[in-house]
Amino acid sequence: MKDTTITLHTAFKVGQVDPRIFGGFLEHMGRAVYEGVYDPDCIHADEDGFRTDVLTALEPLQYTVMRYPGGNFASGYHWLNGIGPRNQRPTMQDLAWQSKEPNQIGTDEYIQLCRRMNWTPMLTVNLGTGTPEEARNWVEYCNSSTGTYYADMRAANGSEPPHGVKLWCLGNEMDGPWQLGHVPADQYAIRAQQAAKMMKDTDPSLELVACGSCAVDLPTYMEWDRHVLEYLGDLADYISLHRYIGNPADDTPDYLAVTNSIDQQIEEMDAVCRYVQGKNRSRKRAYLCFDEWNVWYRARQPEHMDGKGKFAPHLIEEVYNLEDALVVAGFLNSFIRHADVLKIANLAQIVNVIAPILTQGDAMLLQSIYYPLAMYTKRRSGISLQPVVQGPTYEGQTNGQVTYIDTSAILNGDQLHVFATNRNLEDAMTVRINLADRPIVALADAELLTGPDPKAANSYEQPHLIKAQPFQAAEINDGAAIVTLPPLSVAALTFRLVH
Ligand code: AHR
C-alpha cells in the first residue's frame, strides 16, 4: 500500500489550542461521585473520603475544566440541598436517574476537589425544575464577597474567600424530550436569558455556556441553536455541543471514519454562531463548548439508566476496547483541528460512568480510552497547525471517505507534536511527516497505543492488555520524519525542530 504524507507549515496556523478542550465531567450519576471519586469506606480513602487511588490515576489526564453536577441530574438539582453540615443535608429522590441522592458531596466539596486536582470549576445551573433566581443565588454563594446572604452562608460553611467559579452552563440538554423541565427553544431562550442576565449582574466576569443541540439527529438540530443564540445575543459566550458515538452495526471501518461526522458537527455549529453574529450585527460571536463527548452505546438500554431508587447504582458502565480508544483519539484530533472555534470540551465522564477509569470495591481499572487521553494531554500546549494528508483512503459505509491516517498537529516553540491514528485493520502504514519550513531534527519522545484486535479490552484479570508503550521507531531523513504505524494504532509523537 502507498505511503501517507502529512504536510505541515508553521504559517498555516489554525489557532492556539485552548487547554480547556482537555476538560472532564463529573455527574451525580451511578457510581461517578459515590464509589468513584468519593468513598469513605474504601481502603484508599483519605481523611476527606476521597479515593486516593482514583485521584492519583486521574492526575496524568490533567483535566483542565471539570463540569459538575450534571448532566441530566442538574435539571432536578437544588444546590442548597448540597451545602452545610453533612448530617443535616436531605436525601432526595433523583428523577433523572431514578436514584437516591444523599447530598454528601455538594458545592463546597466539589470546589475542594477542584483545588486539590488543579481543575477549573464549571457549574451547570438547574434550568429544568429550578428558577433563574436560584441560579443567580448560586453565583452569589460561589463568587460574591461576604456581606450578603448567600456569600455569608458560604463563609459560615467554612469558605470565607469566594470560590471564584467563572464558567457556568445555562442548564443541560434542554432540547431533549427526556430532560426534566424540557421546553421548546423559545421558552428555553427566555429562561436562559433571565438567568444569564441575573447571573452576570451578580458577577460580570462570568462566562456562560448556552444549551445547544445535544444530538445531531434531533429534529431541532441547528434551528434550536440559531434561536437560542439570537435571543441571548451577547449574553452567550459559548454554545454547547454533545456527542456520543457507537458501533452498533459492528462495522469497525465505518466507526473509525466517524471523524468526518465530528468535523461536520463542529463546522455546522460554528456556522450557526457566525450566522447569528452577522444577523445580530454584533462584535461578539459565541464559541463552541463540546461539554459532553465520548463513546457510549453498549450500556444504553433502559436498564442501564434506571437506578431503581438505589444509592450509587451501576449505571452506564461502558467497557471500552481498542477501537473505542481510536475513536476517542479521533475526537481529540478533530478538536485540535478546530482550535480556532472550539474552546472547551469535556470528556463524559471521568470515573465509572462511561469513563476511562472503573472501580470495583477497592480495586481500580484503567480502560483503553485512558491512554489516548494521557498521550494527547501531555502534548497539548501550542498552536494547532492545519495538516494536509495525502495517502490511501477508504469509504466508510455511512461516514464517507477518509484517509487511513487521521491526524492533528501542535507546534510548541522548538517542538512539534504530531498525533496519527492508523485506521487500517490489517496493514501497517508508513507515514512521512514533513514540516515544510522547519526541518525536523530528532524524535524527542513518542508513545504508541495498539492491541491484538479491535475488540480487545482491559479487564480486572488482564488489566494491561491495552496500554500506551514507548515508541522509538522514527527515521529522520532530510528534515522529515518517517514512521511506520501498526494496524489499529494511535501514535503521539514529539519532534525537535531546528532552532
Ligand atoms: O453523560 C451521561 C448523560 O448523557 C448526561 O447526564 C446527559 O447530559 C447526557 O444525555
Side-chain angles (χ1 to χ4, degrees):
M1 191 171 277
K2 260 181 53 209
D3 294 351
T4 297
T5 300
I6 299 172
T7 306
L8 303 154
H9 192 293
T10 62
F12 296 163
K13 297 181 172 72
V14 180
Q16 189 76 33
V17 176
D18 193 320
R20 296 177 303 170
I21 67 172
F22 292 91
F25 171 36
L26 175 63
E27 176 165 13
H28 280 256
M29 173 181 185
R31 301 189 308 124
V33 171
Y34 309 110
E35 297 187 19
V37 291
Y38 178 75
D39 189 354
D41 297 331
C42 174
I43 55 164
H44 305 294
D46 65 10
E47 64 284 4
D48 297 316
F50 292 122
R51 278 190 72 138
T52 54
D53 58 337
V54 171
L55 299 191
T56 303
L58 285 168
E59 271 166 18
L61 303 187
Q62 296 178 57
Y63 288 118
T64 47
V65 284
M66 186 56 64
R67 185 168 178 251
Y68 174 88
N72 295 347
F73 174 82
S75 297
Y77 179 63
H78 298 289
W79 65 270
L80 279 164
N81 291 336
I83 57 163
R86 275 184 161 142
N87 59 6
Q88 289 170 28
R89 295 184 194 174
T91 293
M92 304 298 287
Q93 188 182 2
D94 161 37
L95 296 181
W97 305 112
Q98 293 299 338
S99 306
K100 194 177 275 180
E101 173 51 60
N103 285 299
Q104 292 305 292
I105 295 288
T107 306
D108 297 305
E109 293 79 20
Y110 159 71
I111 294 292
Q112 181 191 359
L113 189 58
C114 286
R115 300 283 176 258
R116 173 164 173 177
M117 297 300 291
N118 201 21
W119 295 336
T120 301
M122 176 181 190
L123 289 172
T124 305
V125 301
N126 176 354
L127 290 190
T129 64
T131 63
E133 188 178 27
E134 180 185 5
R136 167 266 163 240
N137 293 344
W138 202 6
V139 176
E140 181 188 319
Y141 182 86
C142 289
N143 290 3
S144 297
S145 303
T146 50
T148 54
Y149 184 76
Y150 292 104
D152 287 350
M153 199 182 275
R154 179 194 68 240
N157 289 335
S159 305
E160 165 84 30
H163 291 327
V165 181
K166 296 298 172 202
L167 208 46
W168 296 74
C169 302
L170 298 167
N172 176 71
E173 293 192 346
M174 291 300 296
D175 60 325
W178 56 87
Q179 199 69 206
L180 296 170
H182 158 69
V183 278
D186 55 344
Q187 292 181 43
Y188 166 70
I190 292 168
R191 267 186 217 175
Q193 191 277 344
Q194 291 172 343
K197 162 118 184 28
M198 285 192 273
M199 290 165 77
K200 285 204 177 187
D201 284 348
T202 306
D203 180 351
S205 73
L206 297 192
E207 290 197 293
L208 301 180
V209 184
C211 271
S213 291
C214 66
V216 292
D217 52 6
L218 281 179
T220 47
Y221 178 58
M222 290 182 75
E223 189 48 27
W224 168 282
D225 308 86
R226 179 200 63 74
H227 182 84
V228 167
L229 285 175
E230 262 187 59
Y231 193 83
L232 282 178
D234 290 355
L235 286 169
D237 299 288
Y238 305 94
I239 184 95
S240 71
L241 293 74
H242 287 186
R243 189 74 181 268
Y244 292 106
I245 285 172
N247 185 13
D250 196 12
D251 178 345
T252 300
D254 190 42
Y255 182 41
L256 300 180
V258 75
T259 48
N260 275 348
S261 173
I262 300 168
D263 287 344
Q264 184 179 342
Q265 183 182 358
I266 292 173
E267 287 158 22
E268 286 169 349
M269 289 295 288
D270 177 43
V272 177
C273 293
R274 291 178 197 262
Y275 169 83
V276 172
Q277 181 188 17
K279 180 133 191 281
N280 284 359
R281 290 165 180 76
S282 172
R283 291 173 67 83
K284 174 173 173 175
R285 57 154 293 166
Y287 285 96
L288 308 184
C289 171
F290 218 129
D291 59 20
E292 286 186 33
W293 68 271
N294 204 344
V295 169
W296 174 25
Y297 69 107
R298 285 161 288 233
R300 220 165 168 152
Q301 287 71 36
E303 67 268 23
H304 292 284
M305 299 199 236
D306 182 351
K308 298 197 167 60
K310 294 199 188 114
F311 165 69
H314 286 251
L315 297 179
I316 64 169
E317 299 199 3
E318 193 95 9
V319 173
Y320 291 110
N321 60 28
L322 177 62
E323 64 181 16
D324 302 329
L326 267 60
V327 169
V328 162
F331 267 109
L332 295 173
N333 284 335
S334 182
F335 295 168
I336 293 166
R337 288 194 296 262
H338 294 93
D340 53 338
V341 294
L342 183 71
K343 303 296 176 186
I344 304 167
N346 306 70
L347 177 83
Q349 300 192 10
I350 61 168
V351 55
N352 286 330
V353 170
I354 46 173
I357 298 172
L358 288 174
T359 65
Q360 190 180 78
D362 293 328
M364 190 189 69
L365 180 71
L366 304 185
Q367 300 223 63
S368 63
I369 64 167
Y370 180 90
Y371 294 100
L373 297 164
M375 288 157 67
Y376 278 64
T377 205
K378 69 168 79 144
R379 299 176 172 85
R380 70 186 182 208
S381 301
I383 295 166
S384 166
L385 298 182
Q386 185 63 58
V388 176
V389 185
Q390 291 162 297
T393 61
Y394 72 91
E395 187 80 21
Q397 188 74 23
T398 64
N399 286 311
Q401 201 177 35
V402 288
T403 48
Y404 279 98
I405 299 295
D406 183 46
T407 192
S408 62
I410 298 176
L411 177 70
N412 186 28
D414 291 339
Q415 286 191 326
L416 174 70
H417 305 300
V418 177
F419 307 100
T421 297
N422 180 5
R423 305 186 247 219
N424 196 316
L425 269 70
E426 269 98 40
D427 297 327
M429 304 276 302
T430 298
V431 183
R432 182 184 159 83
I433 300 161
N434 178 23
L435 181 62
D437 60 328
R438 282 188 71 183
I440 291 172
V441 179
L443 179 70
D445 164 58
E447 290 165 279
L448 185 82
L449 181 72
T450 188
D453 70 82
K455 309 296 180 193
N458 293 339
S459 61
Y460 287 97
E461 294 71 40
Q462 272 193 295
H464 304 301
L465 191 61
I466 307 291
K467 190 177 180 341
Q469 307 283 352
F471 181 69
Q472 271 114 22
E475 186 191 320
I476 310 295
N477 200 338
D478 209 11
I482 296 150
V483 292
T484 298
L485 303 180
L488 286 178
S489 64
V490 183
L493 309 142
T494 299
F495 297 106
R496 271 210 319 275
L497 305 175
V498 163
H499 190 57

